[in-house]
Amino acid sequence: MSTAPAETIKTRTITPDGLPLVVTRLFKGVVYREADEKLWQSLMELSAQTRDYVAVLGLELVLDDTEGYAFLRSSPAADADLPRLIPRRQLTFHVSLLLALLRARLAEFDQQNSETRLIMTADQIGDMVSVFLPESSNEARVLDQLATNIKKVTELGFLRKLRGADQTYEVARIIKAYVDAQWLEEFDSRLADYRSALADDKAAGNKTEVDKA
């Protein structure tokens, strides 16, 4: 007596609506709540699925609902054989110093103000940085270097140039995710190291790295 073959039951993973868009946008860079409320809502609803999805690729989701930003970075627990999808970018010494000072200024601002947006002009940023730089007779060179560093920090997404306001920037709150509280606690000693290094001509070759999409 012959019997009919048992029916093969196939299962497949159903991708939630909206997940492909959320993940694709995260791979393109930082997602801000204020820039796209609808996308942000989808991300909040699919945060668990997003974390599971990117974890397979050796990435982790950093999501701060209070500050309103999310991004991907390499997971420290990722398989060492996996290629790095989020490159590490080298930062010059002076760009690193500028990031440190902006982070400290944001912490001070949060303690003293109820507002959430820290706005600074290029002149204010220059005054903040100049305290930690050695004296120079070449003012034009100093200004050029400052403009270059501000441009680089803007490209990295830590400063946002305000429309219609010449040389005026908002300090992006995402900087808190890169320069964390522990780093900030050691700020004074780090600045002492900066002063010492800046007095040495060799400091121009010093570089640090940061994950950035």
Side-chain angles (χ1 to χ4, degrees):
M1 180 179 179
S2 62
T3 58
E7 181 180 358
T8 302
I9 300 177
K10 296 182 180 180
T11 60
R12 65 184 180 90
T13 301
I14 300 176
T15 302
D17 291 340
L19 183 60
L21 176 60
V22 166
V23 172
T24 300
R25 289 290 296 274
L26 283 167
F27 267 105
K28 293 183 68 175
V30 181
V31 171
Y32 291 100
R33 176 175 52 209
E34 64 184 28
D36 193 330
E37 289 279 358
K38 184 177 180 181
L39 178 67
W40 185 263
Q41 184 60 36
S42 296
L43 173 58
M44 294 299 296
E45 294 173 354
L46 298 169
S47 60
Q49 293 93 328
T50 301
R51 292 182 193 279
D52 291 342
Y53 187 93
V54 300
V56 177
L57 304 174
L59 303 174
E60 64 181 11
L61 171 66
V62 178
L63 189 157
D64 191 321
D65 188 33
T66 301
E67 301 290 3
Y69 61 75
F71 61 94
L72 300 177
R73 67 183 176 193
S74 297
S75 171
D79 188 334
D81 293 331
L82 284 175
R84 179 181 288 272
L85 296 178
I86 306 298
R88 292 185 68 83
R89 297 186 179 179
Q90 285 192 329
L91 304 181
T92 65
F93 184 82
H94 290 86
V95 169
S96 298
L97 174 60
L98 178 53
L99 287 175
L101 294 174
L102 288 172
R103 175 65 181 91
R105 180 68 185 89
L106 182 60
E108 178 184 345
F109 176 82
D110 286 344
Q111 291 177 353
Q112 299 176 355
N113 296 270
S114 58
E115 299 179 3
T116 59
R117 300 181 68 193
L118 170 57
I119 307 298
M120 300 184 70
T121 65
D123 287 342
Q124 290 173 326
I125 295 174
D127 290 342
M128 178 181 67
V129 173
S130 65
V131 177
F132 303 96
L133 298 179
E135 293 184 3
S136 173
S137 58
N138 193 336
E139 183 178 354
R141 180 180 179 183
V142 172
L143 292 176
D144 286 345
Q145 184 179 59
L146 175 64
T148 298
N149 295 337
I150 289 176
K151 180 180 179 181
K152 180 62 177 180
V153 172
T154 302
E155 291 173 351
L156 290 170
F158 298 119
L159 283 174
R160 300 181 195 166
K161 193 170 184 179
L162 299 188
R163 293 180 179 178
D166 186 42
Q167 298 298 301
T168 304
Y169 303 84
E170 177 182 356
V171 180
R173 304 190 70 82
I174 194 174
I175 196 173
K176 296 173 67 175
Y178 287 88
V179 183
D180 58 22
Q182 180 179 354
W183 197 101
L184 202 59
E185 289 175 1
E186 302 170 357
F187 186 66
D188 289 339
S189 62
R190 287 179 182 270
L191 284 182
D193 292 339
Y194 281 152
R195 286 193 182 98
S196 177
L198 283 168
D200 188 341
D201 290 339
K202 295 181 180 179
N206 291 348
K207 293 185 177 181
T208 56
E209 293 184 333
V210 63
D211 278 334
K212 195 72 178 113

